[in-house]
Amino acid sequence: MEMKISPSILASDYANLQDELERISTSDLIHIDVMDGHFVPNISIGAPVVEAIKRVCNVPFDVHLMISEPLKYVEDFARAGADIICFHAESEGDIGETVRKIKSLGKKAAVAIKPNTPASVVLPYLDELSMVLVMTVEPGFGGQSFMESTMPKIEEIRRAKPDIDIEVDGGINPETVKIAARAGANVFVAGSAVFKSENPADTISILKQNAQSQRAL
């Protein structure tokens, strides 16, 4: 299972976003948090920003929709340049219908679950998904502490579907990435750990090496 690092631009300098993207050009994915101020108590960016940065970035976009009605907006984000579209199981609408819509647009579909949502919610959809995102913090704000209590859900999903990508998001750094990898995660969202470091490319490399070291055990 390939280990992938997906730096979250939520922790970047939005005034210099093109430069920030160049600093993380060695990453496997770019994690883009979309927040509507309703599903989560924060507002971030929308499809026009995704479309703009797609023109200056060749790394695949991992778009995380923290919005109440994802089905209404998946087409906008698909057109804007999202490669993976992830929405929350706790949002409004039918999960299966939203997954099918994303796939019909030629994009990879992913479903996210909050820390208190059981893995059983996503298990019926695993054969249709490219990825499951297990939140390791409460969604809505960056810079929170990693919740190790979410690791059993990763283990459960990995047992149910050994070849699916399992992503973790929240509080990931060179130490917590080991815990998540040991549980079975292979895609790691890191915001502050990457963008606040002096050398983001080195940090990305360290995160990946630390993750790989655990899966080799």
PDB file of all heavy atoms in Angstrom, residues 55-81:
ATOM      1  N   ARG A  55      -4.596  25.892 -12.316  1.00  0.00           N
ATOM      2  CA  ARG A  55      -3.829  26.365 -13.483  1.00  0.00           C
ATOM      3  C   ARG A  55      -2.335  26.451 -13.196  1.00  0.00           C
ATOM      4  O   ARG A  55      -1.534  26.514 -14.130  1.00  0.00           O
ATOM      5  CB  ARG A  55      -4.355  27.734 -13.932  1.00  0.00           C
ATOM      6  CG  ARG A  55      -5.765  27.697 -14.495  1.00  0.00           C
ATOM      7  CD  ARG A  55      -6.090  28.961 -15.264  1.00  0.00           C
ATOM      8  NE  ARG A  55      -6.196  30.122 -14.394  1.00  0.00           N
ATOM      9  CZ  ARG A  55      -7.345  30.550 -13.858  1.00  0.00           C
ATOM     10  NH1 ARG A  55      -8.473  29.898 -14.089  1.00  0.00           N
ATOM     11  NH2 ARG A  55      -7.367  31.625 -13.093  1.00  0.00           N
ATOM     12  N   VAL A  56      -1.949  26.472 -11.916  1.00  0.00           N
ATOM     13  CA  VAL A  56      -0.531  26.637 -11.581  1.00  0.00           C
ATOM     14  C   VAL A  56       0.010  25.467 -10.767  1.00  0.00           C
ATOM     15  O   VAL A  56       1.098  25.553 -10.194  1.00  0.00           O
ATOM     16  CB  VAL A  56      -0.293  27.955 -10.808  1.00  0.00           C
ATOM     17  CG1 VAL A  56      -0.654  29.154 -11.678  1.00  0.00           C
ATOM     18  CG2 VAL A  56      -1.076  27.997  -9.494  1.00  0.00           C
ATOM     19  N   CYS A  57      -0.746  24.366 -10.719  1.00  0.00           N
ATOM     20  CA  CYS A  57      -0.327  23.220  -9.896  1.00  0.00           C
ATOM     21  C   CYS A  57      -0.666  21.913 -10.601  1.00  0.00           C
ATOM     22  O   CYS A  57      -1.807  21.706 -11.020  1.00  0.00           O
ATOM     23  CB  CYS A  57      -1.021  23.283  -8.534  1.00  0.00           C
ATOM     24  SG  CYS A  57      -0.518  21.975  -7.391  1.00  0.00           S
ATOM     25  N   ASN A  58       0.330  21.035 -10.709  1.00  0.00           N
ATOM     26  CA  ASN A  58       0.134  19.749 -11.379  1.00  0.00           C
ATOM     27  C   ASN A  58      -0.117  18.591 -10.421  1.00  0.00           C
ATOM     28  O   ASN A  58      -0.379  17.472 -10.854  1.00  0.00           O
ATOM     29  CB  ASN A  58       1.367  19.414 -12.236  1.00  0.00           C
ATOM     30  CG  ASN A  58       1.547  20.385 -13.384  1.00  0.00           C
ATOM     31  OD1 ASN A  58       0.574  20.811 -13.991  1.00  0.00           O
ATOM     32  ND2 ASN A  58       2.789  20.741 -13.677  1.00  0.00           N
ATOM     33  N   VAL A  59      -0.029  18.842  -9.114  1.00  0.00           N
ATOM     34  CA  VAL A  59      -0.257  17.788  -8.127  1.00  0.00           C
ATOM     35  C   VAL A  59      -1.765  17.536  -8.020  1.00  0.00           C
ATOM     36  O   VAL A  59      -2.555  18.482  -8.006  1.00  0.00           O
ATOM     37  CB  VAL A  59       0.312  18.201  -6.755  1.00  0.00           C
ATOM     38  CG1 VAL A  59       0.088  17.099  -5.717  1.00  0.00           C
ATOM     39  CG2 VAL A  59       1.798  18.528  -6.872  1.00  0.00           C
ATOM     40  N   PRO A  60      -2.213  16.292  -7.956  1.00  0.00           N
ATOM     41  CA  PRO A  60      -3.650  16.010  -7.864  1.00  0.00           C
ATOM     42  C   PRO A  60      -4.302  16.670  -6.643  1.00  0.00           C
ATOM     43  O   PRO A  60      -3.711  16.737  -5.571  1.00  0.00           O
ATOM     44  CB  PRO A  60      -3.708  14.481  -7.756  1.00  0.00           C
ATOM     45  CG  PRO A  60      -2.448  14.010  -8.396  1.00  0.00           C
ATOM     46  CD  PRO A  60      -1.415  15.044  -8.070  1.00  0.00           C
ATOM     47  N   PHE A  61      -5.536  17.127  -6.837  1.00  0.00           N
ATOM     48  CA  PHE A  61      -6.276  17.829  -5.791  1.00  0.00           C
ATOM     49  C   PHE A  61      -7.201  16.876  -5.042  1.00  0.00           C
ATOM     50  O   PHE A  61      -8.054  16.209  -5.630  1.00  0.00           O
ATOM     51  CB  PHE A  61      -7.113  18.962  -6.394  1.00  0.00           C
ATOM     52  CG  PHE A  61      -6.336  20.197  -6.745  1.00  0.00           C
ATOM     53  CD1 PHE A  61      -4.956  20.247  -6.609  1.00  0.00           C
ATOM     54  CD2 PHE A  61      -6.989  21.328  -7.222  1.00  0.00           C
ATOM     55  CE1 PHE A  61      -4.243  21.393  -6.932  1.00  0.00           C
ATOM     56  CE2 PHE A  61      -6.289  22.488  -7.549  1.00  0.00           C
ATOM     57  CZ  PHE A  61      -4.914  22.517  -7.402  1.00  0.00           C
ATOM     58  N   ASP A  62      -7.032  16.864  -3.737  1.00  0.00           N
ATOM     59  CA  ASP A  62      -7.811  16.060  -2.798  1.00  0.00           C
ATOM     60  C   ASP A  62      -8.752  17.051  -2.095  1.00  0.00           C
ATOM     61  O   ASP A  62      -8.365  17.699  -1.127  1.00  0.00           O
ATOM     62  CB  ASP A  62      -6.800  15.399  -1.842  1.00  0.00           C
ATOM     63  CG  ASP A  62      -7.391  14.803  -0.587  1.00  0.00           C
ATOM     64  OD1 ASP A  62      -8.585  14.490  -0.583  1.00  0.00           O
ATOM     65  OD2 ASP A  62      -6.625  14.633   0.390  1.00  0.00           O
ATOM     66  N   VAL A  63      -9.976  17.184  -2.613  1.00  0.00           N
ATOM     67  CA  VAL A  63     -10.893  18.226  -2.151  1.00  0.00           C
ATOM     68  C   VAL A  63     -11.848  17.669  -1.097  1.00  0.00           C
ATOM     69  O   VAL A  63     -12.594  16.721  -1.349  1.00  0.00           O
ATOM     70  CB  VAL A  63     -11.679  18.833  -3.334  1.00  0.00           C
ATOM     71  CG1 VAL A  63     -12.706  19.847  -2.827  1.00  0.00           C
ATOM     72  CG2 VAL A  63     -10.723  19.503  -4.317  1.00  0.00           C
ATOM     73  N   HIS A  64     -11.803  18.248   0.075  1.00  0.00           N
ATOM     74  CA  HIS A  64     -12.559  17.795   1.248  1.00  0.00           C
ATOM     75  C   HIS A  64     -13.719  18.753   1.483  1.00  0.00           C
ATOM     76  O   HIS A  64     -13.530  19.871   1.961  1.00  0.00           O
ATOM     77  CB  HIS A  64     -11.599  17.756   2.446  1.00  0.00           C
ATOM     78  CG  HIS A  64     -12.228  17.337   3.720  1.00  0.00           C
ATOM     79  ND1 HIS A  64     -11.582  17.471   4.933  1.00  0.00           N
ATOM     80  CD2 HIS A  64     -13.433  16.774   4.010  1.00  0.00           C
ATOM     81  CE1 HIS A  64     -12.355  17.011   5.899  1.00  0.00           C
ATOM     82  NE2 HIS A  64     -13.492  16.592   5.368  1.00  0.00           N
ATOM     83  N   LEU A  65     -14.934  18.315   1.139  1.00  0.00           N
ATOM     84  CA  LEU A  65     -16.119  19.151   1.257  1.00  0.00           C
ATOM     85  C   LEU A  65     -16.716  19.025   2.655  1.00  0.00           C
ATOM     86  O   LEU A  65     -17.361  18.031   2.980  1.00  0.00           O
ATOM     87  CB  LEU A  65     -17.159  18.754   0.221  1.00  0.00           C
ATOM     88  CG  LEU A  65     -16.739  18.837  -1.254  1.00  0.00           C
ATOM     89  CD1 LEU A  65     -17.902  18.428  -2.157  1.00  0.00           C
ATOM     90  CD2 LEU A  65     -16.246  20.245  -1.610  1.00  0.00           C
ATOM     91  N   MET A  66     -16.485  20.027   3.476  1.00  0.00           N
ATOM     92  CA  MET A  66     -17.112  20.101   4.795  1.00  0.00           C
ATOM     93  C   MET A  66     -18.305  21.040   4.679  1.00  0.00           C
ATOM     94  O   MET A  66     -18.319  22.144   5.224  1.00  0.00           O
ATOM     95  CB  MET A  66     -16.101  20.585   5.835  1.00  0.00           C
ATOM     96  CG  MET A  66     -15.035  19.558   6.144  1.00  0.00           C
ATOM     97  SD  MET A  66     -13.838  20.140   7.367  1.00  0.00           S
ATOM     98  CE  MET A  66     -12.616  20.861   6.270  1.00  0.00           C
ATOM     99  N   ILE A  67     -19.298  20.571   3.917  1.00  0.00           N
ATOM    100  CA  ILE A  67     -20.463  21.396   3.591  1.00  0.00           C
ATOM    101  C   ILE A  67     -21.738  20.582   3.808  1.00  0.00           C
ATOM    102  O   ILE A  67     -21.722  19.354   3.770  1.00  0.00           O
ATOM    103  CB  ILE A  67     -20.393  21.938   2.149  1.00  0.00           C
ATOM    104  CG1 ILE A  67     -20.404  20.810   1.127  1.00  0.00           C
ATOM    105  CG2 ILE A  67     -19.132  22.795   1.977  1.00  0.00           C
ATOM    106  CD1 ILE A  67     -20.374  21.302  -0.327  1.00  0.00           C
ATOM    107  N   SER A  68     -22.842  21.283   4.002  1.00  0.00           N
ATOM    108  CA  SER A  68     -24.094  20.626   4.365  1.00  0.00           C
ATOM    109  C   SER A  68     -24.732  19.848   3.220  1.00  0.00           C
ATOM    110  O   SER A  68     -25.332  18.794   3.440  1.00  0.00           O
ATOM    111  CB  SER A  68     -25.091  21.663   4.890  1.00  0.00           C
ATOM    112  OG  SER A  68     -24.643  22.212   6.108  1.00  0.00           O
ATOM    113  N   GLU A  69     -24.648  20.363   1.999  1.00  0.00           N
ATOM    114  CA  GLU A  69     -25.325  19.737   0.861  1.00  0.00           C
ATOM    115  C   GLU A  69     -24.334  19.452  -0.268  1.00  0.00           C
ATOM    116  O   GLU A  69     -24.340  20.126  -1.303  1.00  0.00           O
ATOM    117  CB  GLU A  69     -26.451  20.632   0.372  1.00  0.00           C
ATOM    118  CG  GLU A  69     -27.530  20.887   1.412  1.00  0.00           C
ATOM    119  CD  GLU A  69     -28.632  21.779   0.894  1.00  0.00           C
ATOM    120  OE1 GLU A  69     -29.590  21.243   0.305  1.00  0.00           O
ATOM    121  OE2 GLU A  69     -28.519  23.011   1.058  1.00  0.00           O
ATOM    122  N   PRO A  70     -23.486  18.460  -0.108  1.00  0.00           N
ATOM    123  CA  PRO A  70     -22.432  18.218  -1.097  1.00  0.00           C
ATOM    124  C   PRO A  70     -22.947  17.906  -2.501  1.00  0.00           C
ATOM    125  O   PRO A  70     -22.317  18.299  -3.491  1.00  0.00           O
ATOM    126  CB  PRO A  70     -21.659  17.030  -0.520  1.00  0.00           C
ATOM    127  CG  PRO A  70     -22.597  16.378   0.450  1.00  0.00           C
ATOM    128  CD  PRO A  70     -23.430  17.489   1.000  1.00  0.00           C
ATOM    129  N   LEU A  71     -24.073  17.211  -2.597  1.00  0.00           N
ATOM    130  CA  LEU A  71     -24.583  16.838  -3.919  1.00  0.00           C
ATOM    131  C   LEU A  71     -24.817  18.056  -4.808  1.00  0.00           C
ATOM    132  O   LEU A  71     -24.634  17.992  -6.024  1.00  0.00           O
ATOM    133  CB  LEU A  71     -25.875  16.035  -3.780  1.00  0.00           C
ATOM    134  CG  LEU A  71     -26.463  15.440  -5.064  1.00  0.00           C
ATOM    135  CD1 LEU A  71     -25.474  14.501  -5.744  1.00  0.00           C
ATOM    136  CD2 LEU A  71     -27.767  14.712  -4.751  1.00  0.00           C
ATOM    137  N   LYS A  72     -25.180  19.180  -4.208  1.00  0.00           N
ATOM    138  CA  LYS A  72     -25.435  20.413  -4.964  1.00  0.00           C
ATOM    139  C   LYS A  72     -24.170  20.969  -5.608  1.00  0.00           C
ATOM    140  O   LYS A  72     -24.245  21.704  -6.598  1.00  0.00           O
ATOM    141  CB  LYS A  72     -26.013  21.495  -4.039  1.00  0.00           C
ATOM    142  CG  LYS A  72     -27.484  21.395  -3.781  1.00  0.00           C
ATOM    143  CD  LYS A  72     -27.917  22.643  -3.011  1.00  0.00           C
ATOM    144  CE  LYS A  72     -29.422  22.654  -2.780  1.00  0.00           C
ATOM    145  NZ  LYS A  72     -29.842  23.890  -2.074  1.00  0.00           N
ATOM    146  N   TYR A  73     -23.011  20.641  -5.035  1.00  0.00           N
ATOM    147  CA  TYR A  73     -21.786  21.337  -5.423  1.00  0.00           C
ATOM    148  C   TYR A  73     -20.703  20.458  -6.035  1.00  0.00           C
ATOM    149  O   TYR A  73     -19.682  20.979  -6.495  1.00  0.00           O
ATOM    150  CB  TYR A  73     -21.211  22.079  -4.206  1.00  0.00           C
ATOM    151  CG  TYR A  73     -22.153  23.129  -3.670  1.00  0.00           C
ATOM    152  CD1 TYR A  73     -22.967  22.863  -2.570  1.00  0.00           C
ATOM    153  CD2 TYR A  73     -22.249  24.373  -4.286  1.00  0.00           C
ATOM    154  CE1 TYR A  73     -23.853  23.822  -2.089  1.00  0.00           C
ATOM    155  CE2 TYR A  73     -23.130  25.333  -3.805  1.00  0.00           C
ATOM    156  CZ  TYR A  73     -23.929  25.058  -2.718  1.00  0.00           C
ATOM    157  OH  TYR A  73     -24.813  26.005  -2.253  1.00  0.00           O
ATOM    158  N   VAL A  74     -20.895  19.142  -6.050  1.00  0.00           N
ATOM    159  CA  VAL A  74     -19.810  18.286  -6.559  1.00  0.00           C
ATOM    160  C   VAL A  74     -19.493  18.581  -8.022  1.00  0.00           C
ATOM    161  O   VAL A  74     -18.323  18.520  -8.427  1.00  0.00           O
ATOM    162  CB  VAL A  74     -20.115  16.791  -6.356  1.00  0.00           C
ATOM    163  CG1 VAL A  74     -20.083  16.432  -4.891  1.00  0.00           C
ATOM    164  CG2 VAL A  74     -21.419  16.370  -7.001  1.00  0.00           C
ATOM    165  N   GLU A  75     -20.505  18.940  -8.799  1.00  0.00           N
ATOM    166  CA  GLU A  75     -20.230  19.242 -10.211  1.00  0.00           C
ATOM    167  C   GLU A  75     -19.355  20.481 -10.347  1.00  0.00           C
ATOM    168  O   GLU A  75     -18.452  20.528 -11.187  1.00  0.00           O
ATOM    169  CB  GLU A  75     -21.540  19.422 -10.985  1.00  0.00           C
ATOM    170  CG  GLU A  75     -21.340  19.450 -12.493  1.00  0.00           C
ATOM    171  CD  GLU A  75     -22.619  19.221 -13.277  1.00  0.00           C
ATOM    172  OE1 GLU A  75     -23.631  18.816 -12.677  1.00  0.00           O
ATOM    173  OE2 GLU A  75     -22.578  19.456 -14.495  1.00  0.00           O
ATOM    174  N   ASP A  76     -19.599  21.489  -9.520  1.00  0.00           N
ATOM    175  CA  ASP A  76     -18.777  22.705  -9.551  1.00  0.00           C
ATOM    176  C   ASP A  76     -17.313  22.379  -9.254  1.00  0.00           C
ATOM    177  O   ASP A  76     -16.406  22.888  -9.935  1.00  0.00           O
ATOM    178  CB  ASP A  76     -19.280  23.720  -8.512  1.00  0.00           C
ATOM    179  CG  ASP A  76     -20.621  24.323  -8.875  1.00  0.00           C
ATOM    180  OD1 ASP A  76     -21.009  24.240 -10.063  1.00  0.00           O
ATOM    181  OD2 ASP A  76     -21.284  24.865  -7.976  1.00  0.00           O
ATOM    182  N   PHE A  77     -17.095  21.552  -8.253  1.00  0.00           N
ATOM    183  CA  PHE A  77     -15.711  21.232  -7.883  1.00  0.00           C
ATOM    184  C   PHE A  77     -15.060  20.279  -8.881  1.00  0.00           C
ATOM    185  O   PHE A  77     -13.854  20.352  -9.104  1.00  0.00           O
ATOM    186  CB  PHE A  77     -15.660  20.690  -6.454  1.00  0.00           C
ATOM    187  CG  PHE A  77     -15.830  21.761  -5.425  1.00  0.00           C
ATOM    188  CD1 PHE A  77     -17.072  22.002  -4.845  1.00  0.00           C
ATOM    189  CD2 PHE A  77     -14.767  22.575  -5.076  1.00  0.00           C
ATOM    190  CE1 PHE A  77     -17.244  23.026  -3.923  1.00  0.00           C
ATOM    191  CE2 PHE A  77     -14.917  23.596  -4.145  1.00  0.00           C
ATOM    192  CZ  PHE A  77     -16.164  23.822  -3.575  1.00  0.00           C
ATOM    193  N   ALA A  78     -15.845  19.421  -9.492  1.00  0.00           N
ATOM    194  CA  ALA A  78     -15.301  18.564 -10.550  1.00  0.00           C
ATOM    195  C   ALA A  78     -14.837  19.417 -11.727  1.00  0.00           C
ATOM    196  O   ALA A  78     -13.731  19.213 -12.259  1.00  0.00           O
ATOM    197  CB  ALA A  78     -16.356  17.563 -10.998  1.00  0.00           C
ATOM    198  N   ARG A  79     -15.651  20.386 -12.119  1.00  0.00           N
ATOM    199  CA  ARG A  79     -15.279  21.279 -13.225  1.00  0.00           C
ATOM    200  C   ARG A  79     -14.073  22.139 -12.859  1.00  0.00           C
ATOM    201  O   ARG A  79     -13.246  22.476 -13.705  1.00  0.00           O
ATOM    202  CB  ARG A  79     -16.453  22.190 -13.599  1.00  0.00           C
ATOM    203  CG  ARG A  79     -17.528  21.526 -14.426  1.00  0.00           C
ATOM    204  CD  ARG A  79     -18.351  22.565 -15.192  1.00  0.00           C
ATOM    205  NE  ARG A  79     -18.860  23.597 -14.294  1.00  0.00           N
ATOM    206  CZ  ARG A  79     -20.070  23.573 -13.748  1.00  0.00           C
ATOM    207  NH1 ARG A  79     -20.889  22.579 -13.993  1.00  0.00           N
ATOM    208  NH2 ARG A  79     -20.457  24.548 -12.953  1.00  0.00           N
ATOM    209  N   ALA A  80     -13.959  22.499 -11.583  1.00  0.00           N
ATOM    210  CA  ALA A  80     -12.871  23.371 -11.132  1.00  0.00           C
ATOM    211  C   ALA A  80     -11.522  22.669 -11.123  1.00  0.00           C
ATOM    212  O   ALA A  80     -10.482  23.328 -11.115  1.00  0.00           O
ATOM    213  CB  ALA A  80     -13.180  23.912  -9.742  1.00  0.00           C
ATOM    214  N   GLY A  81     -11.534  21.321 -11.108  1.00  0.00           N
ATOM    215  CA  GLY A  81     -10.256  20.614 -11.171  1.00  0.00           C
ATOM    216  C   GLY A  81      -9.977  19.636 -10.055  1.00  0.00           C
ATOM    217  O   GLY A  81      -8.860  19.122  -9.939  1.00  0.00           O
TER     218      GLY A  81
END
